[in-house]
Structure formats: structure tokens, C-alpha cells
Amino acid sequence: MVIDADTQRSSRLYALYRAFVGLVLLLMGLFPGLPVGLEPALPEVYPALAGGYLVFSLFMAAFAEHCNREPERTTQFRKMILVGGTGDTIGLLALMVVAGGVDTGIGLLLIPAVMATALLSAGRLGLPLAAVATAGLLGAEGLAILIAPGNLDSLTQAGLLAAALLAGTLLAHHFSRRADESRAQVEQQEVDLANLAELNAQIIARMGAGVVAVDPQGYIRSINEAARQLLPPRPGRHLSSISPRLARALRLWKEEALPATRTRHLSGDQEQPALQVRLAPLGNRGDQGTLLILEDAAELRRQAQASKLQALGRLTASIAHEIRNPLGAISHSAQLLRESPDLSAADQRLLAIIEKQSDRVNGLIANVLSLSRRESGERQRLHLREELERFADEFCSALQIPRKTLHVKVEPDNSAVLFDPSQLNQVLWNLCNNARVHGGHDQPGSPPIILRGGAGQVARVVSLDVLDAGPGIDPETEKELFEPFVSGHSGGSGLGLYISRMLCENNGASLEYVHAPTGGCFRILFAPDEQHQGSGS
């Protein structure tokens, strides 16, 4: 038997009802002249019995209050119900006998007494007590007739009252069983809903995509860890206080006539990476709020690039042998031809072009094959400032340009990254050469190319920005910026940025283009250094 709040409240109410009945029965015997007065058959006995029943009622009220204060002690609660039901049956039958029988109406009080016992005991004590009360009722009526001889038709009334008592008890027993079954179903449903809510919370918390639920006013109801990693680490509960750009996208979406599920793209900046945001209404047309699913646009692009890389790898593997065989023959023939003493200066220039372009094609094939095999770089922990200074010296020396052409800025100074040194050198070379050619830095008096990086400046990892003073990249060109074999420069192969991004991914990093106030900016987000968190401490 479950002693819940409703059962406790019902036991208190019935205890008050019992005390009220006891008081009324006593007053009916003490003041027979009242409109509700009673002239008992045994006036000398009735007041004592009524007073005893009132005392019993008060005792049971105190007992019920004591049991309700300790609902976990079910044994005492059962004893209270048993004692109360038995006492009610005996007391009311005795009062009915001394009062004059069933005609007094006291026997009717047995029906609520037995039904209350059945309901409070969840049907366990109702039927046995009803059987005892029925037998007692008929016996008590026979005894009342002997004490005060009268009309024998009262036995018929007693029989009808006994039948009503049994019927009421059966109904109470049925309703009690149904109530227990309903309560058990509700409790099981509550447990299932709680488990489902916990499961959903665990799934959302462990999703790779960021999930943010906001109410109609824009306040955040729920946000998982992935979303916290993608959004700026700002305090506040309102979406606009954490990401004004995301709040603006939400406002524009709501201004649509019939807002439905839409996908928006937010370009990256210094506070957050580029995001692909899916907005879905909660409730009827968003009256319950909005669900925002955030995905790192760079990660989505990497997945698309991985698919393209697989296709490119299969294509490259199939044609590499066919290309390298004639390419090897051309290179070998050029070497033999160079040994000829009869070559003119013009022939020497043409021969140099053949050798240079053969080496270029061979290097192109080698790079694409290396990337298609997804060969991971041999990562080392590199001091970012030292690595950038070394590269700047090498780059300027090889191109015979002033050292001030490259400006290195790292904060904090001890920022460190995990990367293959040779592959990082190749990525930086591609990016800086791209900035020099397209950013106008190959002209005298042009501003320097800026290498700016450090730990914790963007997305709480070590980042590196390569900034130039060029006109930037238009949106149409940006869409295919990292596509292989796509170049906006007449002399380019379209593989520089593609290979640079693949090399970054092979080292757990990412490369993306972000819009800067002036010029262009390519940003590298390095893999986190779990041991040192990218600080070198």
C-alpha cells in the first residue's frame, strides 16, 4: 500500500468526520428535546456509549495525525485503519442497539465507515469488515427488537441496509483497485518520462552539433557543451548577450511570414568560427520558442572535402602511373639532350622550361598522392613565435625580399602548437606567397604581411592569422576558394590553398578564410595541446 499525500489527506478528513459524528451522536442522546434529538431505548446506557465513541474518535484523530507525520511507517498506518474500522463498526452497532434499532438511522453511518476503511486500505480490509458489519447489523437489529419489542418489519430494513452496505463496499473496493492501478501507471509513466528526458539530455549533451533552445523572448532555455564551444565564452542568459550575430539571424528568421525550418550561414570572425545554423520552430509556429542547431561550417566543409578527396585519390591512383611513365621519359630525354654540345642558347632556355615543368607536374602528382593516402604528419610541439621567425627569415631570403616584408606578432609569447614542422612550413609558404602575389606586397613600399597568432584569441585554441593588405576575396570566389584545380590566377594550379587545408587537417588543424576590416585573412586553428593547452607552461 502506498501512503501518498492524497491518502494522508483523506485519513485526516475522515478522522475529523468521525469526531464530528461522535459529537453529534452524544448531543442527540443528551438533549432529546432538540429537533435532531433522540430518545434511546436505554437512556441510561446510550450517553456512556456515545461518550466512549467520541473519546475513541478523538484518540483515532490523534493516532492518524501521528501516522501521517511518519508516512514511511506503513505498519502503523495499517493498524490505524484496522483499529478505526473495527471501532466504528462495533461502536455504531452498539449505539444502534441501545438507541432502538435500525429505525433510528444510526445504522446508515456504517456505510461511510466501511467504505472509508475500504478506500484507505486499498480494498484490503473493506470486504471482510463489510461481512462482519452485515452480520453484526442483522444480529444487532434482532437484539434491539428483544430489548424494545416493536415492528418486525425493521428486520427488512436491516436487510436492505446490509445489502446497501455490501454494495457500497464492493464499489469502494473496485474504485480503490482502479485508483491503485491508475496511480501505478502514472508513476511508471513519470519514471519513463524522467528516463526519456535524461536520455534526451545525455544525447543532446554528447552531440557533435551545438543545440540551443531559446524561448520566444530570446532567453536561452538549454544549451549543450558543443554549442558553448562554438559560441563566444560570454556570460548572460539572453542569446544577444552571447552572440549578437546569431540573435540577429534569429530575428530575421522570425520576421518571415510563416517561419519554418531554415538553414542560415554565418561567416567566421575573431569571436566565433563560421557556422551553419538550422532554425526550427518549437510549438505552433514557434510560439514555444526556437531550436537552433549549430554546426561548424569548417567541419562540414572538411567532410565534403574528405568525400572529394576519396574520389580524387581514386582518380589520381589510376592515372599517376600513366602520367609518370611518359613524364619520366620526357625528363630523362631532357637530361640526355642537355649533355649535347651543339645546343644553342635558345634551345637551352627551352630545355630549362621542359625540366622545370616536368618537375612541377611530378611534384603536383606527389602532393596529391600524399594527400589522397591521408598520411598524418609527424606532429611536434613547436614554439609558435620561434617557428614563425625562422620561417620569415627563410621565406624572405629565398625570394630575396626585405625581412620587414613579414611582420610576426604572437601573444602570449609562449604559445605553442602541435604540427609537423615541414608541413607547417609548406602551409605558411603557400599562404604568404599567395598574400604576396594577390595582396600587392611584391611592390616597393607596400605594407608588410602580418603573421598574427597566439593562444586563446579565437575559439579558445591557438590560432594564426595571415593578413595582407589586398582587396579581399569576393563572395563568389570565396565559395570555391579551397576547391582543387580552381584558381583565380592565370598562372596558378589551383592546388596551393587546397593542399594547405589538407595539410592542416592531417595535423588536426583547420584552415579557413575570414573577412577582415582591411585586406584578406587566412586563419589556422591548431589542434589543442591537451598537456599544455597551447601555452607552453
Side-chain angles (χ1 to χ4, degrees):
M1 182 179 66
V2 179
I3 306 176
D4 54 15
D6 290 338
T7 304
Q8 296 177 27
R9 184 164 51 253
S10 299
S11 67
R12 287 192 178 96
L13 291 176
Y14 183 70
L16 293 176
Y17 163 78
R18 181 191 285 120
F20 174 75
V21 169
L23 178 61
V24 171
L25 291 175
L26 178 61
L27 293 177
M28 289 171 61
L30 292 177
F31 304 100
L34 294 175
V36 294
L38 177 68
E39 293 185 2
L42 298 176
E44 67 280 1
V45 178
Y46 182 86
L49 283 177
Y53 184 71
L54 177 60
V55 172
F56 169 77
S57 300
L58 296 176
F59 169 77
M60 291 306 301
F63 192 14
E65 187 64 27
H66 171 73
C67 292
N68 288 331
R69 290 179 179 175
E70 299 178 357
E72 68 279 358
R73 301 180 68 174
T74 57
T75 303
Q76 284 194 0
F77 196 85
R78 292 195 184 99
K79 289 181 179 178
M80 183 265 294
I81 296 173
L82 177 61
V83 172
T86 305
D88 287 337
T89 302
I90 296 174
L92 292 175
L93 287 174
L95 286 171
M96 186 187 74
V97 170
V98 300
V102 72
D103 292 336
T104 61
I106 296 177
L108 292 173
L109 298 175
L110 287 170
I111 296 178
V114 176
M115 290 181 66
T117 303
L119 292 173
L120 291 175
S121 65
R124 292 179 175 84
L125 301 177
L127 292 178
L129 188 60
V132 172
T134 299
L137 181 64
L138 296 175
E141 181 59 24
L143 182 61
I145 293 175
L146 293 176
I147 295 175
N151 190 0
L152 295 179
D153 292 341
S154 60
L155 285 175
T156 303
Q157 298 179 18
L160 294 175
L161 179 60
L165 178 63
L166 286 174
T169 305
L170 288 173
L171 286 176
H173 178 79
H174 175 71
F175 289 146
S176 177
R177 291 294 186 185
R178 291 290 300 271
D180 284 347
E181 292 175 0
S182 299
R183 184 190 300 112
Q185 291 178 357
V186 169
E187 291 177 351
Q188 184 60 43
Q189 289 175 356
E190 290 177 350
V191 172
D192 293 341
L193 288 175
N195 292 336
L196 182 60
E198 178 65 21
L199 177 62
N200 290 337
Q202 294 292 335
I203 292 174
I204 292 175
R206 287 166 172 75
M207 284 180 62
V211 179
V212 183
V214 298
D215 62 14
Q217 287 73 39
Y219 287 94
I220 296 176
R221 289 179 178 174
S222 176
I223 180 171
N224 66 351
E225 185 60 29
R228 294 184 186 277
Q229 295 293 332
L230 292 172
L231 296 177
R234 295 176 177 173
R237 293 182 57 248
H238 201 276
L239 185 62
S240 60
S241 63
I242 296 178
S243 178
R245 300 175 62 203
L246 189 58
R248 189 182 309 111
L250 175 60
R251 184 177 67 254
L252 294 176
W253 173 75
K254 286 184 175 181
E255 291 175 356
E256 297 180 2
L258 292 175
T261 301
R262 292 287 188 271
T263 300
R264 297 286 188 270
H265 180 80
L266 298 181
S267 58
D269 56 18
Q270 294 184 355
E271 293 185 327
Q272 66 185 37
L275 298 177
Q276 181 170 291
V277 184
R278 185 182 181 190
L279 303 100
L282 296 176
N284 185 18
R285 297 184 180 180
D287 56 352
Q288 300 297 320
T290 308
L291 182 68
L292 297 93
I293 301 178
L294 314 179
E295 293 182 283
D296 190 342
E299 178 62 27
L300 295 178
R301 287 195 298 268
R302 280 195 292 269
Q303 294 175 3
Q305 288 295 99
S307 178
K308 293 179 181 180
L309 185 61
Q310 292 178 356
L312 182 61
R314 290 192 294 268
L315 174 63
T316 305
S318 64
I319 66 176
H321 179 72
E322 300 299 328
I323 294 178
R324 276 184 164 171
N325 281 342
L327 185 62
I330 293 172
S331 299
H332 183 65
S333 299
Q335 293 175 3
L336 295 177
L337 186 59
R338 181 174 293 279
E339 297 176 0
S340 174
D342 300 328
L343 290 179
S344 63
D347 293 337
Q348 291 285 353
R349 285 197 306 271
L350 294 176
L351 188 59
I353 292 175
I354 293 173
E355 292 177 338
K356 181 179 180 180
Q357 294 304 317
S358 297
D359 292 340
R360 183 168 177 262
V361 174
N362 188 65
L364 177 62
I365 295 174
N367 287 332
V368 174
L369 281 175
S370 176
L371 291 174
S372 66
R373 298 189 190 106
R374 304 296 292 178
E375 297 175 352
S376 300
E378 297 180 2
R379 302 184 196 178
Q380 300 179 20
R381 189 167 179 273
L382 307 175
H383 191 281
L384 185 58
R385 176 177 289 277
E386 293 179 357
E387 195 67 20
L388 294 181
E389 294 287 358
R390 182 204 58 77
F391 165 77
D393 293 339
E394 177 183 338
F395 183 81
C396 295
S397 175
L399 298 181
Q400 297 183 354
I401 57 178
R403 176 59 178 81
K404 63 181 182 180
T405 302
L406 289 183
H407 178 69
V408 177
K409 181 180 180 182
V410 177
E411 293 180 0
D413 185 71
N414 60 351
S415 299
V417 299
L418 294 174
F419 217 99
D420 184 301
S422 62
Q423 295 184 6
L424 178 60
N425 187 82
Q426 183 176 353
V427 172
L428 292 175
W429 193 285
N430 287 340
L431 295 179
C432 290
N433 191 59
N434 185 74
R436 188 182 66 86
V437 174
H438 299 284
H441 293 279
D442 54 349
Q443 303 297 325
S446 59
I449 300 171
I450 299 176
L451 303 179
R452 181 185 65 194
Q457 297 185 16
V458 179
R460 286 174 278 183
V461 296
V462 181
S463 62
L464 174 61
D465 293 344
V466 179
L467 300 104
D468 61 56
I473 298 175
D474 61 85
E476 291 301 322
T477 304
E478 184 179 350
K479 295 178 181 179
E480 299 180 338
L481 190 59
F482 293 97
E483 294 295 325
F485 307 111
V486 177
S487 175
H489 186 58
S490 58
S493 64
L495 285 174
L497 291 176
Y498 172 76
I499 293 175
S500 297
R501 169 173 276 186
M502 292 298 101
L503 290 175
C504 287
E505 292 182 1
N506 283 345
N507 287 269
S510 65
L511 173 63
E512 61 184 12
Y513 177 80
V514 297
H515 294 277
T518 58
C521 175
F522 286 91
R523 173 173 295 161
I524 302 175
L525 295 177
F526 293 95
D529 187 344
E530 297 181 357
Q531 180 179 0
H532 300 274
Q533 294 298 314
S535 64
S537 58

